[in-house]
Amino acid sequence: DIQMTQSPSTLSASVGDRVTITCRASQSIGSWLAWYQQKPGKAPKLLIYKASSLQSGVPSRFSGSGSGTEFTLTISSLQPDDFATYYCQQYNSYSYIFGQGTKLEIK
Amino acid sequence: EVQLVQSGAEVKKPGESLRISCQGSGYTFTNYWISWVRQMPGKGLEWMGRIDPRDSHTIYSPSVEGHITISADKSLSTAYVQWSSLEASDTALYYCARLDGSCRHSNCYAFDNWGPGTLVTVSS
């Protein structure tokens, strides 16, 4: 089974910072990777699909990159609304594996 | 506007049965698959299974296969997950999410819309 590992588990940053979250797959998944944002008490929200495509309505400060086994989510300039937990997800037609999550906290 | 409306919170005892629902609106229900995702208290997201409402073809995560049943009624635009015998470890928040399984859209297979979640508490 494919495993998805995110790092770091927790990240402390300030408004205006540039932050990067990494997601590694235990085997190559091509570009079949999504990133989600989840705020406390809310459902997750799709940010990025196919590793680097921005979901409609998502601010352009969010970007994704990578392919194969290593992927990154970058927020170019943190805004107060961005403090949340972020999950990567490997997906295809029959398998949907989430990473363990990265909690982005205010420094 | 696309909406996935989920049934309300449930409190059950171990061994009891339960069915929770997810009704889609604002889109053609049969054009999208529905997945169910579990989030245990204070934990991350775990995919449970998905269904194609056109033909009710279903696949499950190995971690829950045999313990849950996912179904859909396309005439009601509603998907379900049910348990015949709940366990305390089933206590969690359950989300439904839709995904384009036919790749009509560029974000196919990603979960582009989510329901608000149904909290299930199993306790004696």
Side-chain angles (χ1 to χ4, degrees):
Chain A
D1 288 354
I2 297 173
Q3 295 185 16
M4 307 300 294
T5 304
Q6 290 181 232
S7 60
S9 296
T10 307
L11 179 58
S12 296
S14 301
V15 173
D17 284 353
R18 178 185 180 90
V19 299
T20 297
I21 299 169
T22 298
C23 178
R24 289 186 175 87
S26 60
Q27 62 190 76
S28 178
I29 59 171
S31 296
W32 295 106
L33 186 103
W35 290 96
Y36 299 87
Q37 176 194 65
Q38 187 181 32
K39 296 179 181 178
K42 299 294 186 181
K45 172 186 174 183
L46 176 64
L47 300 175
I48 301 286
Y49 62 92
K50 281 189 186 157
S52 60
S53 296
L54 195 67
Q55 173 70 0
S56 176
V58 174
S60 59
R61 63 182 180 272
F62 291 92
S63 64
S65 65
S67 67
T69 62
E70 187 150 340
F71 303 86
T72 59
L73 172 71
T74 299
I75 309 173
S76 60
S77 178
L78 270 175
Q79 299 302 301
D81 192 49
D82 300 338
F83 292 95
T85 299
Y86 293 84
Y87 294 91
C88 64
Q89 180 202 34
Q90 169 272 326
Y91 65 92
N92 52 40
S93 63
Y94 58 89
S95 173
Y96 311 87
I97 308 299
F98 290 95
Q100 81 277 18
T102 294
K103 186 175 182 180
L104 180 52
E105 299 179 329
I106 300 174
K107 184 184 287 186
Chain B
E1 179 195 5
V2 173
Q3 281 195 306
L4 295 173
V5 177
Q6 297 190 234
S7 50
E10 301 275 1
V11 179
K12 292 289 189 179
K13 291 181 167 51
E16 292 186 332
S17 63
L18 175 66
R19 188 178 77 168
I20 61 175
S21 65
C22 168
Q23 184 176 41
S25 63
Y27 71 100
T28 301
F29 187 69
T30 50
N31 283 354
Y32 289 81
W33 298 347
I34 294 288
S35 266
W36 288 93
V37 175
R38 174 170 70 182
Q39 189 166 37
M40 294 179 173
K43 302 298 183 182
L45 304 172
E46 180 185 8
W47 175 72
M48 298 166 60
R50 67 120 175 105
I51 188 166
D52 180 348
R54 294 173 302 175
D55 59 8
S56 289
H57 180 253
T58 309
I59 61 172
Y60 297 94
S61 166
S63 65
V64 298
E65 188 159 21
H67 185 55
I68 64 166
T69 301
I70 294 172
S71 60
D73 185 335
K74 56 187 178 184
S75 69
L76 298 178
S77 298
T78 300
Y80 306 93
V81 60
Q82 65 183 61
W83 296 259
S84 59
S85 181
L86 286 160
E87 302 170 356
S89 58
D90 292 317
T91 294
L93 185 57
Y94 292 88
Y95 293 103
C96 63
R98 77 164 199 178
L99 58 154
D100 170 15
S102 301
C103 284
R104 293 184 180 89
H105 306 282
S106 57
N107 64 0
C108 64
Y109 304 135
F111 297 180
D112 71 345
N113 279 272
W114 294 65
T118 294
L119 181 62
V120 174
T121 304
V122 184
S123 175
S124 54

